């Protein structure tokens, strides 16, 4: 019948990195999110890699953060910028204009089925930026990080799963 019976659509391997410490940036250019990179070696050049992230983040009032997936040095799963000053990215991290926003953390998540077409070790990472150098984007904590029982610290993860063909 010609139907594939070996491995098709099965998960070949799973690699994950978990970030438990904090990170902050005021950079208006994409910068590597420390601790959020991993390497996976596909067993076949036709395998696909499912990339998933869950990022806990907080920030200054009116921070408009952006995140993106990067394979090696290549941006992947990016939006069309639409021209002008718009920022092309994978997922948003945006605060509303409320005074209580500095006490909150939120979750940004995204996933993408990539086709790296290689059997070489492939590195995936996350990069983030803040919309304004006077506004800080934080990972795994809110902006207000004082020692109160209502303030939390959180975790983030990046996962890569090989999908066999």
């Amino acid at each position: 019948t010609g139907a594939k019976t070996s491995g098709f659509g099965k998960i070949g391997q799973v690699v994950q990195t978990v970030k438990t410490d904090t990170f902050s940036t005021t950079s208006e250019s994409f910068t590597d999110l420390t601790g959020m990179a991993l390497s996976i070696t596909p067993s076949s050049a036709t395998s696909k890699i499912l990339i998933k992230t869950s990022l806990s983040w907080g920030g200054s009032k009116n921070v408009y953060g952006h995140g993106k997936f990067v394979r090696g040095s290549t941006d992947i799963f990016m939006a069309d910028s639409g021209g002008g000053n718009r920022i092309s990215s994978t997922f948003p991290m945006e605060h509303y204009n409320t005074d209580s926003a500095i006490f909150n953390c939120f979750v940004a998540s995204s996933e993408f089925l990539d086709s790296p077409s290689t059997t070489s070790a492939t590195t995936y990472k996350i990069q983030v930026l803040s919309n304004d150098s006077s506004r800080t984007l934080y990972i795994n904590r809110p902006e207000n990080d004082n020692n109160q029982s209502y303030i939390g610290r959180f975790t983030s993860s990046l996962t890569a799963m090989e999908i066999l063909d």
Side-chain angles (χ1 to χ4, degrees):
T1 63
K4 287 187 176 182
T5 58
S6 63
F8 181 70
K10 294 183 180 178
I11 295 174
Q13 59 183 307
V14 178
V15 179
Q16 183 178 68
T17 186
V18 174
K19 183 172 181 63
T20 59
D21 61 344
T22 63
F23 174 88
S24 65
T25 187
T26 57
S27 176
E28 293 178 45
S29 299
F30 279 105
T31 185
D32 290 353
L33 175 51
T34 59
M36 291 296 279
L38 55 76
S39 181
I40 189 168
T41 304
S43 60
S44 168
T46 58
S47 291
K48 298 191 182 318
I49 306 296
L50 181 62
I51 302 298
K52 300 175 74 167
T53 191
S54 178
L55 289 180
S56 298
W57 68 275
S60 303
K61 186 176 175 181
N62 291 326
V63 70
Y64 295 92
H66 296 261
K68 69 177 178 178
F69 289 138
V70 180
R71 179 197 338 108
S73 59
T74 302
D75 298 343
I76 57 172
F77 194 43
M78 297 289 286
D80 181 357
S81 71
N85 292 321
R86 295 176 190 93
I87 298 170
S88 177
S89 61
T90 302
F91 51 88
M93 294 179 283
E94 300 175 350
H95 257 309
Y96 298 106
N97 186 10
T98 63
D99 290 333
S100 64
I102 65 170
F103 299 99
N104 300 127
C105 266
F106 306 92
V107 175
S109 62
S110 191
E111 61 181 54
F112 176 63
L113 188 60
D114 188 34
S115 299
S117 301
T118 186
T119 56
S120 297
T122 303
T123 299
Y124 290 93
K125 64 183 177 181
I126 295 176
Q127 293 184 336
V128 295
L129 65 74
S130 173
N131 67 308
D132 185 321
S133 62
S134 68
R135 295 182 176 116
T136 306
L137 176 71
Y138 296 96
I139 302 297
N140 291 344
R141 56 158 280 198
E143 178 181 52
N144 185 318
D145 195 36
N146 63 22
N147 188 20
Q148 299 295 325
S149 61
Y150 56 86
I151 299 296
R153 290 286 181 92
F154 305 94
T155 58
S156 296
S157 66
L158 176 64
T159 306
M161 292 186 280
E162 180 184 14
I163 310 300
L164 301 173
D165 185 23

